[in-house]
Amino acid sequence: MKVKGITKKNGIIAAALVMMLAIGTAIAYFTDMGSVTNSFTVGNVDIELEEPSWDPEAAKNITPMMEIAKDPQIENIGANPAYVFAVVTVPRANVETAAADGSHIAAQVQDLFTYSVNADWKEVKKETTDGSTIYTYGYVGSDGNMKPLEKAATTTPVFSSVQLINIVEGTLADTDLEIKVDAKAIQSDDIGASSPEEVLKMIDNANK
């Protein structure tokens, strides 16, 4: 009986040691914690309107049908690609003109300058006021949708030259005329639109 008592006691002690080992194992995990901090740089849209061939002296004392070099183009000097537009304001007036054969054309309100729009540009909007016509052109791809102007890239010119219409002599003598060109831009990434009309509307709404 004594031997059996010792055996039982030893069994209890052994069981207790097993439990302690089990508990010790349960709380002996290696643990660690970590974190990651990401840096974000906010980009920007920044454009510059240029006219490399423009010579102010060449625009003095012009005559009918005279062609003057004028090549507005837009450079992306910002950090992000952008959709760009050129807004050209052309003076208009009630003037008499002459046809190619020299015949007289009665006075009518019309643009005083003409030009040929280059292939990468599409007329998106046209407005008239008492003294001018305002044309808005979008920089587009071959599919007619807006084409992103990449960082450090420059568009082709909207047009390369302008020409005074064949007005009758004396109609606008000593009159200063001005063709104004403005540029607009909006980020091309993640705006959910690519048609010139939709993108222009987004810009106009943002600037209200």
Side-chain angles (χ1 to χ4, degrees), residues 72-139:
Q73 55 193 43
I74 301 171
E75 181 182 3
N76 184 354
I77 60 174
N80 296 88
Y83 290 144
V84 297
F85 294 85
V87 183
V88 182
T89 303
V90 180
R92 67 198 305 254
N94 188 33
V95 294
E96 300 176 19
T97 57
D101 61 2
S103 60
H104 180 267
I105 300 175
Q108 58 182 312
V109 178
Q110 57 193 303
D111 289 355
L112 299 179
F113 290 90
T114 61
Y115 51 82
S116 296
V117 179
N118 289 324
D120 289 333
W121 294 90
K122 176 183 178 181
E123 183 181 315
V124 184
K125 188 177 180 181
K126 177 181 177 181
E127 305 168 90
T128 57
T129 67
D130 289 340
S132 63
T133 305
I134 305 169
Y135 299 91
T136 301
Y137 303 99
Y139 186 59

Side-chain angles (χ1 to χ4, degrees), residues 1-7:
M1 295 296 294
K2 186 175 181 181
V3 174
K4 289 182 180 179
I6 292 172
T7 301

Side-chain angles (χ1 to χ4, degrees), residues 138-189:
Y139 186 59
V140 299
S142 57
D143 61 356
N145 287 324
M146 296 299 294
K147 176 167 61 176
L149 182 62
E150 300 298 333
K151 176 183 176 181
T154 302
T155 67
T156 54
V158 184
F159 44 81
S160 300
S161 62
V162 296
Q163 186 177 54
L164 181 66
I165 63 173
N166 196 16
I167 58 175
V168 172
E169 185 177 354
T171 303
L172 291 172
D174 300 321
T175 301
D176 290 330
L177 302 175
E178 180 181 79
I179 299 176
K180 182 183 178 185
V181 183
D182 296 299
K184 298 181 178 183
I186 188 172
Q187 69 181 65
S188 57
D189 292 336

